[in-house]
């Protein structure tokens, strides 16, 4: 079973930045793409971004393009989501997830518990 | 981007009922379709992948069907632990869009 642990959430003012982290089991980290998915209060799931197993490819949802950046830290088995120019509508719980065969477009069979981000003045 | 539309957005059902949820894609996604269950306060759980393949450990009362643009998730006999929200997701191409969700509530 893959272990995923998100951290870095909190309350931040509009326009500010925040970095989320997702620590992944060492056995999985180097062979799997990692996704971020978010869910606003009382809302549905929204895919945010993905980074390939080797970091060579990254893709973003429309709401993240130009403001968020996903990266991998192989020394810490961690994926980061750097969020800038935060808006009220970015308020959500952010989950990281791994696909069932490691590829970027496969279904997500492992999820973390999520970390809350609240954008508020 | 591929749009995913689920219906209904909510439904009320009783234990033992047969429940059907539909998902429509804005273009053909072949069978690159997954279903997730989310209980309140928890992360989503993968139920079905490739439109009709049951994820390991998922009860056989769950089944999926469809291809192209139209898909169905069926729960043959609703159990108390099945109440929650169900989402479809297309895995055909990035961005991997989700449907809006179907909330299954007790009647």
């Amino acid at each position: 079973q893959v272990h995923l642990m998100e951290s870095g959430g909190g309350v931040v003012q509009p326009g500010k930045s925040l970095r989320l982290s997702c620590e992944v089991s060492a056995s999985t980290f180097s062979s799997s793409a990692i996704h971020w998915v978010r869910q606003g209060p009382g809302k549905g799931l929204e895919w945010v971004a993905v980074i390939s197993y080797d970091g060579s490819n990254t893709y973003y949802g429309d709401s993240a393009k130009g403001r968020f950046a996903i990266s991998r830290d192989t020394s810490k088995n961690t994926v980061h989501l750097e969020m800038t120019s935060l808006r009220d509508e970015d308020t959500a719980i952010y989950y990281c997830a791994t696909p069932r065969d490691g590829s970027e477009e496969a279904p997500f069979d492992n999820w973390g518990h999520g970390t809350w981000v609240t954008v508020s003045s | 981007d591929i749009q995913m539309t689920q219906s209904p957005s909510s439904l009320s059902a009783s234990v033992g009922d047969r429940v059907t949820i539909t998902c429509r894609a804005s273009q053909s996604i072949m069978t690159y379709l997954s279903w997730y269950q989310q209980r309140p306060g928890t992360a989503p759980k993968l139920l079905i992948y490739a439109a009709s393949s049951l994820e390991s450990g998922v009860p056989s009362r769950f089944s999926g069907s469809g291809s192209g643009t139209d898909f169905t998730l069926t729960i043959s006999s609703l159990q108390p632990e099945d109440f929650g929200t169900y989402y479809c997701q297309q895995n055909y191409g990035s961005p991997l869009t989700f449907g809006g969700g179907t909330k299954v509530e007790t009647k």
Side-chain angles (χ1 to χ4, degrees):
Chain A
Q1 186 73 7
V2 178
H3 176 74
L4 301 164
M5 177 67 74
E6 303 94 339
S7 61
V11 180
V12 60
Q13 293 179 330
K16 299 295 187 181
S17 301
L18 198 64
R19 188 177 80 162
L20 305 183
S21 299
C22 173
E23 185 176 355
V24 183
S25 305
S27 58
T28 298
F29 182 80
S30 61
S31 61
S32 181
I34 307 292
H35 294 263
W36 285 97
V37 176
R38 71 183 185 182
Q39 186 171 34
K43 297 186 178 180
L45 302 171
E46 179 186 8
W47 178 79
V48 175
V50 62
I51 187 166
S52 59
Y53 76 101
D54 60 357
S56 61
N57 294 318
T58 58
Y59 301 98
Y60 298 91
D62 289 344
S63 62
K65 286 178 184 174
R67 298 190 301 128
F68 294 2
I70 190 171
S71 62
R72 299 176 77 103
D73 182 345
T74 55
S75 67
K76 297 181 180 179
N77 297 329
T78 298
V79 168
H80 299 293
L81 184 69
E82 187 77 40
M83 304 186 295
T84 64
S85 302
L86 283 163
R87 307 164 179 164
D88 291 352
E89 54 265 36
D90 295 318
T91 294
I93 184 168
Y94 285 73
Y95 297 101
C96 59
T98 55
R100 66 187 310 278
D101 67 359
S103 65
E104 290 145 40
E105 292 169 347
F108 308 159
D109 65 344
N110 283 287
W111 297 68
H113 290 99
T115 186
W116 267 102
V117 173
T118 301
V119 183
S120 174
S121 54
Chain B
D1 298 359
I2 299 172
Q3 308 301 318
M4 306 301 293
T5 304
Q6 282 183 239
S7 62
S9 57
S10 66
L11 64 90
S12 297
S14 301
V15 172
D17 284 353
R18 182 181 182 88
V19 170
T20 300
I21 299 168
T22 63
C23 179
R24 174 164 289 177
S26 61
Q27 66 180 72
S28 177
I29 57 171
M30 301 171 68
T31 57
Y32 292 100
L33 191 282
S34 306
W35 290 98
Y36 299 85
Q37 175 195 61
Q38 186 178 34
R39 298 190 181 106
T42 68
K45 172 187 174 183
L46 179 64
L47 299 176
I48 301 281
Y49 63 95
S52 60
S53 296
L54 197 65
E55 176 69 350
S56 176
V58 174
S60 59
R61 62 181 179 273
F62 291 93
S63 64
S65 64
S67 66
T69 60
D70 294 312
F71 302 87
T72 300
L73 173 70
T74 300
I75 309 172
S76 60
S77 178
L78 194 68
Q79 298 302 299
E81 60 268 30
D82 300 337
F83 292 98
T85 303
Y86 293 81
Y87 296 92
C88 61
Q89 179 200 36
Q90 63 84 12
N91 305 104
Y92 184 78
S94 189
L96 303 181
T97 40
F98 290 92
T102 296
K103 187 173 185 178
V104 176
E105 300 174 297
T106 183
K107 184 180 287 185

